[in-house]
Amino acid sequence: MKAAVVTFPGSNCDYDLYKAVQDVGAEARFLWHRDRGLDDADVVLLSGGFSYGDYLRAGAIARFSPIMDDVVAFAKAGGPVVGICNGFQILCEAGLLPGALIRNASLKFQSESVWMRVERTDTLFTRDYAAGQRLRIPMAHAEGNFRADPETLKRIEGENCVLFRYVDRHGGASPEGNPNGSMNHIAGIVNEAGNVMGMMPHPERAMEAVLGSTDGRGLFTSLMGALAAGSAA
Amino acid sequence: MTALNVPGTPRLPAAVDPRPGDPEVTDEVVADHGLSPDEYTKVKAIMGRTPTWTELGVFSAMWSEHCGYKNSKRLLKTLPTQAPWVIKGPGENAGVIDVGDGYALAFKIESHNHPSAVEPYQGAATGVGGILRDIFTMGARPIAVLDSLRFGDLRSPRVRYLFGGVVKGVGDYGNCVGIPNIGGEVMFDAAYEGNPLVNAMCLGLMKHEDLITGVAEGVGNPLMAVGARTGRDGIHGATFASEELSEDADESSRPMVQVGDPFTEKLLLEASLELIASGHITGIQDMGAAGLTSSATEMAGRAGNGVEIDTALVPVREVGMTPYEILLSESQERMLVTAKAGHEDDVRAILEKWELEAEVVGRVTDDGMFRVKENGVTVAEIPNVPLTEACPTYEREGIEALEVAELRDRELPVRDTLPDPSLALLDLIRSPNIASKRWIFGQYDTTVRTATVRRPGGDAGAVRIRGTKRAVAATTDCNGRYVYLDPRNGARAAVAEAARNLVCVGALPTAITNNLNFGNPLKPHIYYQLREAVRGIGEACRAFETPVTGGNVSLFNETDGKAIHPTPVIGMVGVIDDVAHLTGHAFREAGDAILQLGDNTDEMGGSEYLYRFHGGLVAGHPPSVDLLAERSLQQAVLAMIHTGLVHSAHDCAEGGLAVALAESALGEGDDPLGVDVELPDALPAPALFFGEAQGRVVVSCAEADVDRLLEVAADHGVPARRIGSVAPASAGVRIRGAGTEIFCRTASLADGYFNALSSIMDAAPAAATARDHTA
């Protein structure tokens, strides 16, 4: 698997994502936001951070970066795209994923380890997880409160597009387990075609026991396995 | 006028015509610039003439306490700075030590107290920005931030406004740049009501060969201004930071406060590291306090050269800025770089990639002068060496205040019957000084860069070094009450606590940076505090072999003549050879044995218990510090951890043994446990449970390993004993002793400990306005 990690001005989890990809034995390279072409990448990853300082609105400026034209075309052609944290915000702004991420209900930046539940295991991104598996993953964001209009939300749920839901430590989707006020406790979604996913928590920060959790590895091994099996097209 | 024989003065500067439109230099103007008549006489002697308005501004900034350390330099020179592992000691942008496997660690602490008192959000944010730049200008990538904060009583809306703003400022800046916050500390005490303290520490990692310093080498090499443009913000910030605050100083002083842009900082960080690696530059320095003036003169000074700058070449944000303003602006996110001649376009190309500017603003000269032109017309010419080296230094008169001696010797109103010790523990655990700081670090990204192996909330934070087994740990500590009551002993306690915190996570204490926050040193009782505290730091650092590699001095922390508690914050770093030895403060499982290292005493002076239950009383002898015993304790804890048998280790600090036990039982809050302990000491209950005797650590281990660990302690000559067992949460926290007993439900303690700060900050109308300060 050849994975391309896009660096925008202000990206600050690009290196973490790059290392996570390498940790599962895949090939990783960086792409600069002004580059054109995706360099034969099998999968494109948009990292966390504060692209363009999150000025105007998180992800609102990054979507106009030259490389985003290529990312959108790649996604429309069925190429797998992953957006984490700021990357998720950029994918929503770019129209590749439905909904929007607004300020946390607390109106604060929140940094903590959250529990989330795997809602689907039949995707490129989650096939190595068990259905209903609880994951302990760090999150760190100020704008991760997932919102969608009622019709969109209905479609997201109806088409089974929720990949991860915030839960309490016992595995129940409850207000106590929801850190930021997201609708339906949504932590991560996939598009209807199943090739573009976004999530707010940081699986790349949960790759090793010494960092406190290995629950994030499944996302990267799933992708590796899926692409190796040729199910990416 | 006759010239003084100042060493290093090459010759007298040329005559400079007053710049049209600049104010005339009068005695009153001189006084407004913070220069004493004697200092001004020295200025005139160095110049051989009356300085121009621009030259006066330059002297004022460079000879401020903030840049010139004039009241502290002689004391600082007494501190130990050498060790085989020290690569760069004081005098650089940051200290640098060897941490093994070819890696070097740059680290430093710096204050932003005055700006934060008038504009907490920007003051704190730019404090973080400044310390990050000090680290990456050494060639090191910032890997961790810590923040050491002090505020008044949280019952005041003004204090809540300051606290909330500072935390948001620290968080927003570090979060955006993407540097994890791994720890720090905060204390609330009425002594900091008008003068909050905001000290930020940064650690940066590099390979030895990547080290670069701030020198203007190579005569003829171009000086380039890099990064953000220069505006009118922060003019004379260094001088402002070297004065007392007055009641009306707050809003009116805002133009002296800088405004930060962390997005630009992130770009500047990447561009600077790329520049350093490129080989196109010979030196780089942050334009920090006193901006272009200090960076240019200090870089020239380190190389023994002169510099010439034309202010008309400096990229500015607004038209009509005078040379005076351009030289003294403290606009953020700017660097001064000495490029190799002929490599200017290469430097520009790197900056352009990161969407930043780089412009040639001057060059390195061989005449030893700091010369400033405006469109080719000289507006200032000052011999460089006297500007940086001949700043007058003073040894002031230091006498202890009678009232402090009286407070120290006062008989303490501690009675063993009141309050009930169980209620006392429940109350102490929710004191903002003891309660969990989750409300703070929950707003800081602690895990970005995927290297954080000890997050905030324990004894010390730690980040691993990828590709090695190693990690570096860091902590900040200082109990200002102890220092107030006994500066020498209190400072020793600050160093000792920092070292205990490091060994509790499994790190060998290696070196310190310090931030000396004090009142006005012209007052004999303040200078006494400063002198004695520096003495105490030196003694402890010698005993622990933790040299001082740099730091910061913040004096004049007074409002309306009232000084803060003297607060010499110690930022200590340590090395963990193998991350397998990382240890936490939380008890691991019920049934484990609890060991206490060190002795309980009847010392209650300066304790949180006194402050909390006796109307804010700060009195008595603070706990004594036996440096040899502390050193043995540190070695014993590390040796115990290296056996691999230790399940948890926790320093005993504010709130004493009962609080330490409760904190270990509560852990991070996910899986709290209980405690069943019996203390046989013949001491009054308050001292036994809540006294803050130094040199104590609580350790837990499996039942079967108790004897083995007690043996290790005995080998180091450290008193150690088993005091009880970890219990299930359902059994609560039970501590028997002094003929009485503490019993608290674990859930009640957890509620108090984890929710105390949020219940104050999120329930009350937090956004009290800036003008609310009389409440």
Side-chain angles (χ1 to χ4, degrees), chain B residues 202-240:
Chain B
C202 182
L203 279 61
L205 193 67
M206 67 186 128
K207 290 293 221 177
H208 280 245
E209 59 269 24
D210 293 333
L211 178 68
I212 187 170
T213 52
V215 286
E217 269 178 354
V219 172
N221 275 344
L223 288 172
M224 299 182 78
V226 160
R229 295 181 153 238
T230 298
R232 284 197 166 101
D233 52 329
I235 290 174
H236 264 311
T239 310
F240 166 56

Side-chain angles (χ1 to χ4, degrees), chain A residues 6-39:
Chain A
V6 179
T7 301
F8 298 93
S11 294
N12 65 27
C13 305
D14 46 340
Y15 180 74
D16 301 349
L17 208 44
Y18 179 90
K19 296 306 282 186
V21 168
Q22 286 187 336
D23 274 0
V24 298
E27 192 187 324
R29 83 269 310 265
F30 287 114
L31 292 178
W32 182 235
H33 74 120
R34 278 192 219 150
D35 292 345
R36 293 305 307 254
L38 300 177
D39 203 13

Side-chain angles (χ1 to χ4, degrees), chain B residues 36 64 89 116 133-134 146 170 213 217 223 283 313 351 362 372 403 436 450 485 512 520 536 610 634 659 737:
Chain B
S36 72
S64 68
S116 302
R133 290 193 294 281
D134 277 343
L146 298 91
V170 169
T213 52
E217 269 178 354
L223 288 172
L313 300 175
L351 270 295
V372 182
E403 68 193 52
S436 166
T450 58
L485 291 168
I512 75 157
N520 179 350
L610 266 190
Q634 294 159 21
V659 163

Side-chain angles (χ1 to χ4, degrees), chain A residues 16 55 108 111 136 205 208, chain B residues 261 442 444-445 449 464:
Chain A
D16 301 349
Y55 294 141
K108 289 196 190 78
S111 166
R136 182 76 157 157
R205 300 187 190 183
E208 297 169 67
Chain B
D261 175 7
Y444 300 159
D445 195 336
R449 296 193 49 71
R464 58 95 176 259

Side-chain angles (χ1 to χ4, degrees), chain A residues 9 11-12 16 32-34 50 52-53 55 108-111 113 136 140 169 204-205 208 210-211, chain B residues 175-176 178 261 263 266 352-355 442-450 453 455 464 670-671 762:
Chain A
S11 294
N12 65 27
D16 301 349
W32 182 235
H33 74 120
R34 278 192 219 150
F50 289 71
Y52 293 95
Y55 294 141
K108 289 196 190 78
F109 187 97
Q110 284 173 261
S111 166
S113 283
R136 182 76 157 157
R169 59 189 318 228
E204 79 279 13
R205 300 187 190 183
E208 297 169 67
V210 72
L211 300 178
Chain B
N175 295 343
C176 182
D261 175 7
F263 172 55
K266 168 69 175 167
E352 270 166 24
K353 173 187 164 190
W354 293 100
E355 309 193 351
Q443 299 182 57
Y444 300 159
D445 195 336
T446 59
T447 50
V448 62
R449 296 193 49 71
T450 58
V453 289
R455 301 181 196 179
R464 58 95 176 259
D670 283 343
D671 300 290
D762 295 337

